């Protein structure tokens, strides 16, 4: 990766991704560019200076002369924040997607089962990888996962025990206290009905959030072993909460607390969880360790106790 000098003429530097080059190499005449994306990850918009004494032509000069990243082919690392166009010029709020740590609590290192450990991060999930670490009766007194104790943030990643774990859930909507609690109408352009999940295919699989946790089939696996899964509301309703889908997770619910103050009983992270926020879709899934990960004896990550290795590779 490098930077291009943008202090003079505008430079257009474009390359095909690894996947694009692979399809071009097929040489059967079928390769055609039908989509492209633009991003501005490297631009610092705080450089805009409307107090510049030289006049308005100089307000954005530092931005326009910022060095830009040289194009590179690794699609897993390029353009984390893609630009989009919205026709509604009066739009005041943009939707967000946030992890719902109320329905599926994340790791809390102050938990009585984890407080003795100093290397446990807050705010994420720990995934048990094999049969032994996913079997609760295999957890010992030396393990932070005590027998029969479901610790927040622990996902039993081995397939036979997947249905015992709460799915990972995301809420989408307008996360603001300026709007009274409500739901987006069907067909609202701000409602997210398509999700893309990318995971390392050597470590993890995506599975349905309920029932027997059937493994989903990735749409692609690229040359970096990154598997991409596409989920759309119409085709995969089991990954979406009602009323949009049929996932067995409590849906958004907006009802009148009293005549003057409608309230949301949704256990949501959108708005204040009670009287504010506009709710779009609730999306969830399970994570499963791969067969290769479950059978490997090479450690990847941290060993949490003398006897319990929670994430192996």
């Amino acid at each position: 990766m490098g930077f291009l000098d943008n202090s003079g003429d505008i430079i257009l530097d474009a390359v095909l991704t690894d996947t694009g080059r692979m399809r071009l190499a097929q040489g059967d005449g079928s390769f055609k560019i039908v989509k492209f994306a633009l991003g501005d990850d490297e631009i610092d918009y705080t450089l805009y200076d409307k107090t510049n004494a030289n006049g308005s032509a100089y307000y954005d000069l530092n931005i326009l002369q910022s060095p830009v990243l040289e194009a590179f082919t690794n699609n897993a690392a390029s353009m984390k924040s893609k630009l989009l166009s919205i026709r509604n010029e009066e739009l005041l709020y943009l939707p967000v997607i946030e992890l719902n740590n109320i329905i599926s609590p994340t790791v809390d290192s102050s938990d009585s089962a984890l407080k003795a450990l100093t290397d446990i991060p807050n705010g994420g999930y720990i995934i048990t990888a094999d049969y032994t670490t996913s079997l609760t009766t295999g957890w010992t007194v030396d393990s932070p996962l005590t027998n029969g104790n479901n610790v927040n943030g622990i996902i039993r990643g081995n397939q036979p025990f997947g249905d015992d774990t709460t799915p990972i859930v995301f809420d989408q909507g307008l996360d603001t206290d300026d709007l009274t609690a409500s739901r987006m109408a069907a067909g609202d352009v701000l409602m997210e009905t398509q999700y893309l999940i990318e995971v390392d295919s050597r470590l993890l699989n995506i599975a349905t959030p309920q029932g027997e946790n059937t493994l989903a089939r990735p749409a692609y696996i690229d040359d970096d072993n990154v598997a991409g899964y596409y989920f759309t509301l119409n085709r995969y309703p089991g990954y979406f909460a009602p009323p949009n889908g049929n996932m067995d997770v409590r849906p958004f619910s907006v009802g009148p607390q009293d005549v003057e103050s409608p309230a949301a009983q949704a256990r949501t992270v959108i708005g204040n969880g009670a009287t504010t926020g506009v709710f779009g879709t609730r999306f969830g899934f399970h994570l499963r360790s791969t067969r290769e990960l479950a059978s490997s004896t090479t450690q990847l990550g941290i060993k949490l106790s003398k006897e319990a290795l929670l994430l192996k590779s």
Side-chain angles (χ1 to χ4, degrees):
M1 184 190 305
F3 285 93
L4 298 176
D5 185 1
N6 196 28
S7 60
D9 295 335
I10 296 175
I11 298 173
L12 176 62
D13 182 44
V15 296
L16 293 174
T17 63
D18 294 333
T19 301
R21 292 193 298 173
M22 178 184 68
R23 294 178 179 175
L24 178 63
Q26 293 175 353
D28 57 5
S30 62
F31 177 75
K32 181 185 296 184
I33 298 176
V34 295
K35 294 181 180 179
F36 66 91
L38 301 174
D40 60 352
D41 291 6
E42 65 273 58
I43 302 302
D44 180 4
Y45 287 101
T46 63
L47 295 176
Y48 186 84
D49 181 15
K50 63 181 181 180
T51 64
N52 192 300
N54 294 317
S56 59
Y58 292 84
Y59 289 177
D60 59 356
L61 184 62
N62 288 333
I63 294 177
L64 295 176
Q65 292 185 346
S66 296
V68 295
L69 290 174
E70 181 180 11
F72 52 101
T73 61
N74 187 342
N75 56 292
S78 62
M79 289 197 299
K80 294 297 185 183
S81 303
K82 297 175 182 176
L83 302 181
L84 69 153
S85 298
I86 297 178
R87 295 181 180 179
N88 183 359
E89 296 180 355
E90 298 181 356
L91 187 67
L92 297 179
Y93 306 95
L94 288 176
V96 297
I97 301 173
E98 296 187 9
L99 177 67
N100 189 316
N101 55 7
I102 301 174
I103 291 178
S104 300
T106 53
V107 168
D108 180 2
S109 60
S110 64
D111 189 289
S112 59
L114 301 175
K115 64 182 181 180
L117 304 171
T118 59
D119 50 4
I120 299 296
N122 278 311
Y125 298 97
I126 297 173
I127 305 172
T128 59
D130 61 7
Y131 184 90
T132 301
T133 55
S134 296
L135 184 66
T136 56
T137 56
W139 299 344
T140 71
V141 293
D142 293 322
S143 170
L145 308 179
T146 56
N147 282 334
N149 184 22
N150 292 321
V151 181
N152 286 343
I154 306 299
I155 294 177
R156 303 172 72 191
N158 195 250
Q159 180 67 17
F161 311 105
D163 57 355
D164 292 338
T165 302
T166 302
I168 297 175
V169 177
F170 291 88
D171 286 354
Q172 181 263 337
L174 304 182
D175 186 16
T176 173
D177 289 339
D178 295 335
L179 300 175
T180 301
S182 62
R183 290 186 56 87
M184 292 182 183
D188 192 319
V189 295
L190 298 182
M191 179 184 289
E192 190 62 66
T193 60
Q194 303 179 60
Y195 289 81
L196 167 64
I197 303 175
E198 292 185 329
V199 298
D200 191 320
S201 62
R202 298 166 297 180
L203 305 178
L204 297 169
N205 293 314
I206 302 297
T208 52
Q210 60 189 22
E212 297 180 358
N213 302 136
T214 305
L215 295 183
R217 178 175 296 181
Y220 63 85
I221 299 178
D222 68 14
D223 60 317
D224 297 308
N225 297 300
V226 175
Y229 296 79
Y230 287 106
F231 297 100
T232 61
L233 174 59
N234 291 337
R235 187 171 182 181
Y236 299 102
Y239 290 85
F240 293 80
N244 309 104
N246 53 32
M247 178 175 65
D248 188 20
V249 171
R250 180 181 298 185
F252 292 121
S253 176
V254 180
Q257 187 178 50
D258 54 53
V259 176
E260 300 294 333
S261 179
Q265 300 86 22
R267 302 184 70 192
T268 182
V269 292
I270 299 297
N272 64 12
T275 59
T276 65
V278 180
F279 314 129
T281 53
R282 175 168 285 167
F283 174 77
F285 58 90
H286 272 297
L287 286 175
R288 294 287 163 266
S289 60
T290 63
R291 183 178 303 172
E292 293 76 14
L293 176 64
S295 61
S296 175
T297 57
T298 302
Q299 179 176 339
L300 174 66
I302 54 177
K303 191 169 183 179
L304 299 182
S305 70
K306 297 179 181 177
E307 299 182 38
L309 180 61
L310 296 188
L311 184 55
K312 303 192 306 180
S313 172

